[in-house]
Amino acid sequence: MRTAKLREWLLGEIPVPAAYLESIRRMRLRRYQHTSSIAAVFSLLAAIMLTVTFWSDPAMPVVSMWCAANGMLAVLRLRDSAREPPETLEDLHRYEYTATRHTVISGAVWGVLLVALILSASVDRDWFLGVLATSVLCIGALLHASFPRAALGYSGLITLGVLAALILSGDRTFLGSAMIIIGSLLAVQRFSAMNHANLVKRQIAANDLSESNETISLLLSDFESHSADWLWRTDESGCVVQPSERFAEAAELPYAQLEGAHIAALLTDESARELEEVLAERRAFTDLVVELYSADSRRWWSMSGQPVATGGYRGVCSDITQQRRNEASIAFFKQHDDLTGLPNRAMLIEKLEAATARYEECGEPYALFHIDLDNFKSINDTMGHPSGDALLRAVAQRLRRCLEDRIYIVRPGGDEFAVLALDCPRSEAERLGDVLSDAMLAPLTLDGRQIMISGSIGVAMAPDDGVEPVVLMKNAELALYQAKAHGRGCARFFEASMDEDARSRAELETGLRSAIANDDMDLYFQPLVDTRTGEVTGYETLLRWNRPGHGLVSPATFIACAEETGIIVPLGEWVVRKAIEEAAAWKDEVSVAINLSPTQMGNPSLIPTVVNALASSQLDPSRLEIEITETVLMNETEQNLKTLHQLKKLGVRIALDDFGTGFSSLSYLRAFPFDKLKIDQCFVRDIETSPENQAIVRSVVTLARDLGMNITAEGVENEAQATILAGLGCRNVQGYLYSRPIPASELEKKPFCEQPERKILQFSDHRSGWRR
């Protein structure tokens, strides 16, 4: 470790990577060759000065011999400097050895000369000899710094010569002079070592930089070969310098035409101005999007660059044409419907905001039409979704044809369309409403079949019905509901009362949700009576709501609201549990009938809900009667039939309610073995005076008897109706003649000790539905 430190201090030897040894040796050799001519000139000047100084001195013969020897060495060094650099590593070693040898011999010659001159010259020559020795020592160290070992030999021999002369001359100042000379030798050698170490370090750094440049060059070359990007460079005037093949290919120009062309000339005027502004400010930039000048199609580049010290710019560039097209496509579909190509709801809001701004600027009125296709769901279900999509595209095309360019057509979603008409007073809006209604009524051909469609239209006028997009859209939708409520296939304009109706309905929905959450609903029961005995055979469950501050709400009102808002699901589940619980507590073990809606029948939690309620209440399943309407069998027949069979398997009885109304397909009676048919009250109401009603009831009773089903007639209000029904063979009836619906609290219950123990079974927390 100490030896290595000493060698570094004295000879400037530092660790060198093996791969760099040859390059460092060649560097030292080049410096040696460069300084050889300087050394020769110095030797010539020294010879001249010595000759002039010692011309008449007795030491002149020594000077002459030195001049001859030094001249020979100078010739040899000049010859070495003129030689071509060795090619092989072995020749390089030999050359270094020769250079070192010549340097050491030169030092020995100077050392001998100084000994001879100091011993033989007169005292007045001492100052000259001192200056000579100092200059030879210093200049030699400088000239031989590329070879520290040779420099040490050179300086050491000169120092030995001076010391020897001082000893032989008996100089009384020998000790002090020797210390000065040796100190000078060490200082000069240290300088030479440091110089050499710095040279080696610079060469190592240069080698590292060269390797880095080569690596970067290879990476850049590979980058351009395998990447869609390319490098670009310009001179101080902005002209392209040495463009790559990839650059020329991207610019669609021959190499010769691209080189020397101003880079801004490749771009459109706007992009060229933007790029020239950046280049003029000499600032770096990243991802500058520029458009190319192209006669065929629009193309874009993304450019990044930075100024270089020598002037000009260099950077990287990529073609982002496809990316821009993809972004444009994404942006289009963000604001357009991918099925019809029409603007979507987001674009409608933008157009409404623009129309609002235009109204505020110049007072131009506008109208929003909200169109909903009538019975689209049935077409979609019966003919399939592809036909439904084709229908929507056909309607969109029809609207495009019948409307002017200044009118925007939008598809917000589903089977809905919207039309925004600018500069449209009320009279024009009424005309457009008729045009749209007529356009929707025209027949269409799908899959070779001609179908008839219609559309309900709600219209909101700005500014009369609002100018905020959300408000205008809401009011157009409210007008649409009115159009559907008034027969469909027509247009209705928004009126202030519609908004009041909507608020009332929202309040009704809020109150209904609160009533369910707080258990504020009431169950009523209407008895079913045997016409022969007058005894009660069961009760039908009815729902009542005494709304705080409003009194009793009609079931037709709040049940419709529950079905439209989805509240029917938790409400129906509550009714099933509560009715079964009440029936289990009745003193008489009669049946309880619960009407189920199509929504609840389609809910997978219906069976667990019924089973859980039966198990919890210990009610005999045969006492539970589920009533459904024909609508249940019309929707998703297979699934609903499966649910009915599961209920019947539990022992629950199934009744077909409102028989004789609706489609009244007899195939329903064949599809499922109902336990009971219920004759709708419309056939009972005029049965005393209507032979037709009597014939219908007689037929239904006969049909039920032959199929092994019971019969119940609803809506019996007088004795005459009851007598006729009994005569026709109808055994069970219900109506106001016998009793109005009774609150659950008024029915006679079993004593508490006789009520069965309640057991709660756990089922997954699904929702079920109910309707009546």
Side-chain angles (χ1 to χ4, degrees):
M1 184 69 179
R2 293 180 179 178
T3 303
K5 287 288 186 181
L6 180 61
R7 291 164 66 88
E8 181 181 353
W9 192 91
L10 196 58
L11 300 177
E13 294 182 356
I14 60 175
V16 176
Y20 294 169
L21 286 174
E22 182 176 351
S23 64
I24 289 175
R25 282 174 174 160
R26 291 187 181 279
M27 177 272 296
R28 295 185 343 187
L29 181 57
R30 286 194 301 271
R31 291 186 62 84
Y32 174 78
Q33 288 179 325
H34 291 158
T35 59
S36 292
S37 57
I38 299 176
V41 171
F42 174 73
S43 296
L44 176 61
L45 290 175
I48 293 172
M49 293 304 299
L50 285 169
T51 301
V52 171
T53 303
F54 291 95
W55 180 259
S56 58
D57 196 275
M60 185 60 195
V62 176
V63 173
S64 299
M65 288 187 291
W66 175 85
C67 288
N70 201 45
M72 292 176 61
L73 287 173
V75 171
L76 291 174
R77 295 191 65 168
L78 288 172
R79 185 195 65 180
D80 291 340
S81 67
R83 288 169 58 183
E84 290 293 328
E87 295 182 0
T88 65
L89 191 60
E90 183 180 353
D91 292 340
L92 188 61
H93 283 301
R94 190 178 300 111
Y95 197 111
E96 282 190 355
Y97 174 76
T98 301
T100 302
R101 184 181 59 191
H102 290 168
T103 302
V104 173
I105 293 173
S106 177
V109 170
W110 274 108
V112 171
L113 174 66
L114 290 172
V115 170
L117 290 179
I118 290 173
L119 292 176
S120 62
S122 58
V123 177
D124 58 345
R125 302 286 194 273
D126 287 347
W127 282 104
F128 175 79
L129 293 175
V131 172
L132 178 62
T134 302
S135 61
V136 168
L137 193 63
C138 294
I139 292 175
L142 288 172
L143 295 178
H144 303 121
S146 55
F147 290 106
R149 291 175 180 270
L152 181 59
Y154 175 86
S155 302
L157 290 174
I158 293 175
T159 302
L160 287 176
V162 174
L163 291 176
L166 292 175
I167 293 173
L168 293 175
S169 64
D171 193 326
R172 290 175 298 176
T173 62
F174 166 74
L175 185 58
S177 300
M179 291 179 64
I180 292 174
I181 293 173
I182 293 173
S184 300
L185 169 65
L186 293 176
V188 168
Q189 185 59 31
R190 177 58 185 155
F191 171 79
S192 179
M194 291 175 60
N195 192 17
H196 174 263
N198 289 333
L199 290 174
V200 172
K201 289 177 181 178
R202 282 200 295 270
Q203 184 61 35
I204 291 174
N207 288 347
D208 288 339
L209 180 61
S210 178
E211 284 197 355
S212 298
N213 288 338
E214 289 180 7
T215 302
I216 293 172
S217 179
L218 288 173
L219 289 174
L220 292 177
S221 178
D222 182 71
F223 166 79
E224 285 203 301
S225 299
H226 298 88
S227 172
D229 301 348
W230 63 91
L231 303 175
W232 61 274
R233 183 173 181 177
T234 64
D235 57 19
E236 60 276 5
S237 61
C239 296
V240 177
V241 177
Q242 297 179 343
S244 64
E245 182 179 347
R246 178 73 185 89
F247 189 1
E249 179 183 343
E252 297 181 350
L253 291 173
Y255 180 91
Q257 184 176 348
L258 180 60
E259 186 174 25
H262 198 285
I263 194 166
L266 307 176
L267 312 178
T268 60
D269 293 344
E270 183 178 352
S271 294
R273 284 193 297 270
E274 188 175 1
L275 179 61
E276 286 177 335
E277 180 181 341
V278 173
L279 298 181
E281 294 176 359
R282 297 286 296 169
R283 55 184 171 90
F285 59 94
T286 303
D287 296 331
L288 176 65
V289 176
V290 295
E291 184 177 356
L292 267 68
Y293 179 82
S294 176
D296 299 332
S297 60
R298 300 185 70 183
R299 296 170 56 216
W300 290 269
W301 286 353
S302 175
M303 299 184 67
S304 299
Q306 60 181 6
V308 295
T310 56
Y313 267 79
R314 65 156 57 98
V316 64
C317 190
S318 59
D319 191 323
I320 59 170
T321 301
Q322 190 58 46
Q323 177 184 336
R324 287 292 293 254
R325 290 172 180 168
N326 292 341
E327 290 173 352
S329 178
I330 292 172
F332 177 85
F333 284 113
K334 277 185 177 180
Q335 296 183 321
H336 291 77
D337 169 45
D338 57 352
L339 179 64
T340 62
L342 293 175
N344 59 16
R345 185 181 182 86
M347 179 66 85
L348 173 61
I349 293 174
E350 287 188 15
K351 295 296 184 183
L352 285 171
E353 290 173 345
T356 300
R358 186 171 178 83
Y359 164 74
E360 292 174 350
E361 180 181 346
C362 57
E364 182 180 283
Y366 54 97
L368 177 63
F369 298 77
H370 192 162
I371 307 170
D372 185 87
L373 301 184
D374 299 325
N375 300 320
F376 174 77
K377 186 178 185 302
S378 62
I379 296 174
N380 205 37
D381 291 343
T382 56
M383 300 183 65
H385 293 291
S387 295
D389 292 344
L391 173 61
L392 293 172
R393 285 193 291 267
V395 170
Q397 188 61 32
R398 177 174 290 181
L399 292 175
R400 287 190 184 101
R401 286 197 302 265
C402 74
L403 296 176
E404 303 171 12
D405 292 339
R406 65 184 178 85
I407 299 177
Y408 297 105
I409 310 168
V410 178
R411 184 188 172 215
D415 59 347
E416 298 180 353
F417 293 85
V419 172
L420 175 61
L422 303 178
D423 192 15
C424 182
R426 175 74 179 227
S427 58
E428 177 64 13
E430 291 174 350
R431 185 191 70 80
L432 277 177
D434 293 338
V435 170
L436 291 171
S437 296
D438 293 342
M440 302 302 290
L441 287 171
L444 280 171
T445 301
L446 289 178
D447 298 333
R449 296 169 55 186
Q450 190 176 70
I451 62 171
M452 298 296 294
I453 63 169
S454 64
S456 299
I457 306 171
V459 189
M461 299 295 302
D464 296 342
D465 302 330
V467 292
E468 290 296 325
V470 174
V471 174
L472 204 63
M473 292 168 67
K474 181 201 72 173
N475 290 341
E477 188 172 11
L478 292 175
L480 172 64
Y481 293 152
Q482 289 297 312
K484 285 187 172 293
H486 286 78
R488 305 189 176 191
C490 60
R492 286 289 182 273
F493 281 76
F494 173 77
E495 299 174 1
S497 60
M498 297 178 186
D499 194 29
E500 182 61 34
D501 293 342
R503 280 196 294 270
S504 299
R505 196 165 189 81
E507 292 174 1
L508 180 67
E509 178 185 347
T510 302
L512 188 55
R513 292 185 185 276
S514 177
I516 296 173
N518 298 325
D519 205 18
D520 288 339
M521 309 296 289
D522 297 310
L523 288 185
Y524 278 60
F525 295 92
Q526 187 173 35
L528 282 68
V529 179
D530 190 317
T531 56
R532 294 176 302 179
T533 65
E535 294 180 354
V536 174
T537 60
Y539 293 92
E540 180 178 8
T541 306
L542 302 173
L543 188 61
R544 296 292 181 263
W545 178 25
N546 191 359
R547 185 182 176 190
H550 296 78
L552 282 174
V553 181
S554 168
T557 300
F558 72 79
I559 293 298
C561 177
E563 288 182 335
E564 291 176 5
T565 58
I567 302 175
I568 193 70
V569 174
L571 179 60
E573 187 177 274
W574 180 85
V575 169
V576 169
R577 291 197 307 267
K578 195 71 175 176
I580 292 176
E581 180 183 337
E582 288 288 341
W586 292 339
K587 182 176 180 181
D588 298 325
E589 295 190 357
V590 294
S591 66
V592 60
I594 305 173
N595 193 290
L596 297 184
S597 70
T599 302
Q600 190 168 2
M601 281 296 299
N603 195 304
S605 70
L606 173 61
I607 300 300
T609 300
V610 173
V611 172
N612 196 7
L614 290 173
S616 173
S617 65
Q618 297 296 295
L619 182 72
D620 185 347
S622 64
R623 292 179 58 193
L624 176 61
E625 187 175 279
I626 297 296
E627 297 182 0
I628 65 169
T629 62
E630 296 169 355
T631 309
V632 170
L633 297 175
M634 292 173 59
N635 299 326
E636 301 184 13
T637 305
E638 184 177 348
Q639 179 60 40
N640 289 335
L641 284 176
K642 181 179 178 181
T643 302
L644 289 174
H645 280 291
Q646 288 176 315
L647 288 170
K648 196 169 181 64
K649 190 175 180 180
L650 292 173
V652 177
R653 292 185 296 169
I654 309 297
L656 183 59
D657 195 15
D658 298 338
F659 186 75
T661 61
F663 291 93
S664 297
S665 173
L666 295 180
S667 62
Y668 299 148
L669 301 181
R670 187 178 60 180
F672 185 79
F674 290 97
D675 296 288
K676 178 189 285 188
L677 296 181
K678 296 192 71 173
I679 299 175
D680 190 74
Q681 60 182 345
C682 66
F683 299 112
V684 176
R685 186 176 301 114
D686 300 321
I687 197 169
E688 315 97 288
T689 59
S690 172
E692 293 83 2
N693 284 1
Q694 293 182 22
I696 292 173
V697 171
R698 183 183 300 109
S699 299
V700 173
V701 170
T702 302
L703 176 65
R705 183 174 60 246
D706 293 344
L707 293 176
M709 302 177 186
N710 293 324
I711 281 288
T712 295
E714 300 177 307
V716 179
E717 297 183 354
N718 56 58
E719 289 288 351
Q721 294 172 346
T723 302
I724 294 172
L725 289 170
L728 294 174
C730 183
R731 292 188 55 182
N732 289 292
V733 293
Q734 69 181 97
Y736 285 173
L737 173 63
Y738 304 99
S739 175
R740 288 181 176 272
I742 305 168
S745 59
E746 297 182 11
L747 292 179
E748 189 174 0
K749 306 283 180 68
K750 297 177 183 178
F752 184 77
C753 60
E754 297 181 14
Q755 296 186 27
E757 180 184 355
R758 305 293 166 84
K759 297 179 181 179
I760 300 177
L761 301 182
Q762 297 298 324
F763 288 88
S764 58
D765 184 22
H766 293 292
R767 300 296 182 186
S768 59
W770 177 84
R771 178 182 183 273
R772 183 67 176 171

